[in-house]
Structure formats: structure tokens, C-alpha cells
Amino acid sequence: DVKVTQSSRYLVKRTGEKVFLECVQDMDHENMFWYRQDPGLGLRLIYFSYDVKMKEKGDIPEGYSVSREKKERFSLILESASTNQTSMYLCASSLLSDRGNSPLHFGNGTRLTVT
Amino acid sequence: QKEVEQNSGPLSVPEGAIASLNCTYSDRVSQSFFWYRQYSGKSPELIMSIYSNGDKEDGRFTAQLNKASQYVSLLIRDSQPSDSATYLCAVRGGNYQLIWGAGTKLIIKP
């Protein structure tokens, strides 16, 4: 079974802090993704990566950055946390597929509260 | 703007009945279709994937795809209280990006 591990289940941070959310997958997947999920807004893509050191902006990249130094690890960085970044953050991974038929596998999520 | 639409619900179904969840999408060249289940406070988990027109069955779950009408549905037979969750439809379009529906909340009443 694919395992996607997010380092923290719950995090509480103060406004202005730099926040690191870590994600590790153990199935040698090429693709990794960061989403946030808010009530009424569904899943929104922040950043994704198709390869080491490669990153692409998703739909809502503002206020975030990412790092992918190793294939198995994809980090989300909140440069200066704000209260509107309070959310559930979900990491996912998938195989690279020319046919686009590879599903996403999600980690357990990190519920971040910024006070 | 490519879209995936689902009725937000809640959809209330008696235990033992068939639950029918529907999803429509706007990108005609969409290739891959996925159903995820998400329990409250948990992350989405994959239930079914379907790529060709017709039905695909897996246990109590059946996914149905009709590309001409641009809809995909999920049927849950013999519904159980443990099936109560939010069901997310995801569609991979021609540019390989995954578009998510907002989800349908399903409640199975004992």
C-alpha cells in the first residue's frame, strides 16, 4: 500500500511565523501535491511537483512556497503565516502516467491553526 | 474554466438501500475519473477509478461513466451506516490536471 506521511496532525502557530509542513511518500511516486481544504471551498491546489527540484504553481500559491530536494519528500512553507491560512493541508502523491490515469494518494492531513 | 459539479446534499438514504451519487463535468476531453470518500476530519481515500464508458463494479460499489453526456456516477448497494461520508468526484482533463468537485454529503439512516 502507498503510504504518504505528513509530519504533524495538528499545528498551532502565531501570525508572522515561518511554518514548515513536511510530507514523505514511500512508493517512489514522481508526482507530489499540496492542497488545502476549507469548508464550502473544497480542495484547492497550492503547488505540485513532477520531479526533484521541480515545482509548479497551482490555483492558490500566494503566501506559500515549496521545496523538493529528494524524490520522496515535498515540503510546504508558509513564509509568514497569517490567520487566513488556517486550514486543513493535504499532501498527495501519484505515479507519473502518460495516460493520466494514476490516482492521487493522500496523507492524513495537517490541521493548521494560525492565531 | 473547467468544472466538476456535484450536488452538495446531504443525500439521505435508508440503510440497505442503493445510494446514487452523481457528478457532471465540463471538459469534453476528460480521460480519467475518480471517486473518493472522505470521513469528517479525515483525508480523502480512493474508492473507484473509471476510464471507459460503461459500468465498473467493485464489491458494493459501481461507477458509471457516460462521456457523451459528460457525467459519472457512483452507486452504493446495500448502504451501511459506515458509508456515511462526503464523496468527492475528481476528473482529469485534457491537460492532465485534476479537477475536484465540492463533494456530496451522504447520510445512511439506520
Side-chain angles (χ1 to χ4, degrees):
Chain A
D1 274 356
V2 176
K3 189 161 186 184
V4 181
T5 303
Q6 294 184 230
S7 55
S8 303
R9 188 74 179 92
Y10 299 95
L11 270 181
V12 180
K13 297 292 182 181
R14 292 191 178 275
T15 300
E17 277 193 84
K18 191 169 186 176
V19 181
F20 293 86
L21 301 182
E22 305 288 346
C23 176
V24 178
Q25 51 94 5
D26 67 356
M27 286 302 292
D28 204 33
H29 283 175
E30 291 84 3
N31 304 331
M32 296 190 76
F33 306 83
W34 275 106
Y35 286 90
R36 63 178 284 179
Q37 188 175 33
D38 302 285
L41 296 177
L43 281 164
R44 293 182 292 168
L45 182 63
I46 304 171
Y47 268 96
F48 60 99
S49 170
Y50 289 145
D51 200 354
V52 176
K53 296 192 185 295
M54 177 272 179
K55 60 185 178 185
E56 292 284 346
K57 293 180 180 179
D59 300 318
I60 52 163
E62 296 79 17
Y64 304 94
S65 62
V66 290
S67 173
R68 193 161 181 204
E69 296 296 319
K70 293 185 178 181
K71 188 176 185 180
E72 67 270 20
R73 187 181 297 271
F74 193 35
S75 303
L76 180 69
I77 304 154
L78 286 65
E79 298 291 341
S80 177
S82 63
T83 55
N84 63 11
Q85 293 179 309
T86 292
S87 186
M88 170 71 94
Y89 288 88
L90 293 163
C91 175
S93 72
S94 71
L95 283 169
L96 183 65
S97 166
D98 288 343
R99 294 176 56 197
N101 57 0
S102 181
L104 266 59
H105 301 269
F106 286 89
N108 286 335
T110 296
R111 185 164 293 281
L112 173 67
T113 302
V114 182
T115 62
Chain B
Q1 181 82 5
K2 308 272 190 302
E3 292 184 343
V4 173
E5 296 194 356
Q6 298 180 254
N7 188 321
S8 62
L11 174 66
S12 184
V13 174
E15 183 176 357
I18 296 175
S20 178
L21 303 161
N22 298 311
C23 171
T24 59
Y25 59 93
S26 62
D27 186 356
R28 286 194 165 276
V29 298
S30 295
Q31 304 172 10
S32 308
F33 307 84
F34 307 94
W35 282 101
Y36 286 78
R37 177 177 62 200
Q38 187 174 25
Y39 294 114
S40 181
K42 304 293 185 183
S43 60
E45 56 180 323
L46 180 70
I47 297 178
M48 296 278 293
S49 56
I50 187 166
Y51 312 112
S52 305
N53 276 328
D55 294 1
K56 179 182 177 183
E57 188 174 316
D58 184 0
R60 295 187 297 113
F61 298 95
T62 299
Q64 300 175 317
L65 174 61
N66 184 323
K67 289 187 177 180
S69 301
Q70 294 177 238
Y71 81 79
V72 56
S73 61
L74 180 70
L75 302 179
I76 307 174
R77 290 182 300 280
D78 188 24
S79 297
Q80 302 297 311
S82 60
D83 294 325
S84 297
T86 296
Y87 289 80
L88 303 173
C89 173
V91 176
R92 183 162 281 130
N95 63 356
Y96 295 104
Q97 292 303 316
L98 201 59
I99 311 296
W100 293 86
T104 298
K105 185 173 183 178
L106 175 66
I107 298 172
I108 306 300
K109 290 189 170 182

